Amino acid sequence: MNNWKMVTLVGEDQPGIVAQTTEALYQNSLTLGETSMMRLGGNFSMMMMVSGEGDLSAALAPVAQALNLRLHIDDIAGRLHQHLVPNIQIRVMGADQPGIVARVTGALAASGFNILELESDVAGTAQEPVYIMTIQGISDATVETLQQAVDSLSEEGVDVSVSAIETLFA
Amino acid sequence: MPILEILTIPDARLKQSSEPVECFDDELHAFIAELEETRLAGPAAVGIAAPQVGRFQRIVILDCSQTRRPVPHHGHLILINPEITHWEGFELGREGCLSVPDYTGNVIRAERIKLVAQSPQGETHEYEMESYEARVLQHEVDHLDGLLFLDRVVSRRTDLFQRKVYKKGST
């Protein structure tokens, strides 16, 4: 059962997408691993690790057609139980402007920061959009070093705060 | 001294409530020594509760003196019949657990707490705890009530972003 594939399904949001998709996988003896599913801008997007002997394309094609979803399947080398625990969290907020993500993550990458999760959203109003992003990742660099790396952005009205995540293990 | 077996999910016994300790005898002290040995045996845990090894009595051990970044703490504590009497503030933090292998999640906990607990000799003490140590204590007391951090995990999207900004702006 190590033949994991990454399945991407995207389409206009409507109730029942997850239920019908996962039912089709189940009926075809396909197994889910780690997944991420979320509504983004009126679309529902699913990324799923799937494994099993069944024919994945054939299993999902009818559902994709019925729900008008776009389907993409990749062979992957990944497997389960490869979790990394983040030690740094970064919160970004500022008036929406081009390049916020590129500049923040560029500064972080230059400091050897490895992003594990990134979520971003546009809040505020259509007239005054506010970009909000949270990043969790791993870095050997200190909070202070990372904060310095992103501080120049604050002069441009983007508030970036770096903090440590001390994961409780008990 | 034997290392005790840690119960892991989906073992239903982890949902069981634990009984108060009434007898502060040598047998209790011997068990506490084994529980401590077990806490230290695996990947270093900052706390452990008796029901995690299948003994359903209100006994916890915590030690926040060895964290990567120093936090306010009371050192090594053995708490019998701990009872939280006051909760204040709230804070999001990431938690893992010996009973939940290979998973961590975000949980909201009170930032500051007061509690009463007995020592292994049965003397009553009061404590005030904050931040990380308060989180560990709440995590352990949950075990005594048959709760895991999984019962309190919040969505990754749930964040206290606005509150942090508010605090920052007000200083």
Side-chain angles (χ1 to χ4, degrees), chain B residues 10-169:
Chain B
D11 196 313
R13 288 175 289 174
L14 289 165
K15 292 180 183 293
Q16 191 173 324
S17 277
S18 290
E19 299 296 324
V21 171
E22 285 166 1
C23 204
F24 296 81
D25 56 7
D26 288 348
E27 194 277 332
L28 174 72
H29 301 153
F31 167 73
I32 290 169
E34 289 180 3
L35 186 64
E36 174 66 355
E37 191 85 359
T38 305
R39 178 180 78 86
L40 296 171
V46 286
I48 193 167
Q52 286 183 279
V53 297
R55 176 153 165 156
F56 300 96
Q57 280 193 302
R58 305 186 79 83
I59 304 164
V60 307
I61 300 176
L62 57 153
D63 185 354
C64 297
S65 64
Q66 307 291 324
T67 51
R68 200 163 40 91
R69 290 178 153 250
V71 295
H73 64 84
H74 290 80
H76 185 271
L77 291 176
I78 298 163
L79 302 176
I80 315 293
N81 303 327
E83 197 178 328
I84 301 172
T85 55
H86 180 81
W87 292 259
E88 205 182 311
F90 59 93
E91 206 168 40
L92 195 70
R94 205 174 184 99
E95 300 187 14
C97 183
L98 293 168
S99 297
V100 185
D102 197 36
Y103 189 83
T104 56
N106 287 323
V107 181
I108 294 172
R109 303 280 188 189
E111 220 172 345
R112 285 172 299 280
I113 55 172
K114 291 180 187 172
L115 63 135
V116 215
Q118 287 167 281
S119 72
Q121 286 70 40
E123 301 147 357
T124 300
H125 295 284
E126 289 182 31
Y127 300 88
E128 290 187 22
M129 294 181 178
E130 61 180 295
S131 67
Y132 191 78
E133 190 182 42
R135 171 172 297 273
V136 176
L137 191 279
Q138 290 169 82
H139 178 114
E140 299 310 336
V141 168
D142 267 357
H143 278 302
L144 305 181
D145 294 327
L147 289 170
L148 297 171
F149 80 92
L150 293 179
D151 297 305
R152 300 190 189 274
V153 163
V154 294
S155 153
R156 296 178 199 193
R157 285 224 150 182
T158 306
D159 198 1
L160 304 182
F161 189 86
Q162 290 182 329
R163 177 173 161 274
K164 293 282 184 194
V165 169
Y166 173 74
K167 268 174 73 174
K168 193 173 173 182

Side-chain angles (χ1 to χ4, degrees), chain A residues 57-81:
Chain A
S57 302
L60 289 177
V63 180
Q65 191 170 11
L67 295 172
N68 199 22
L69 304 172
R70 271 183 293 167
L71 169 64
H72 185 82
I73 301 171
D74 282 313
D75 289 319
I76 55 167
R79 56 190 195 277
L80 297 177
H81 308 294

Side-chain angles (χ1 to χ4, degrees), chain A residues 2 12 26 28 44 77 109 125 141 151 160:
Chain A
N2 273 330
E12 190 179 339
Y26 172 56
N28 287 276
F44 198 71
T125 61
D151 264 351
V160 186

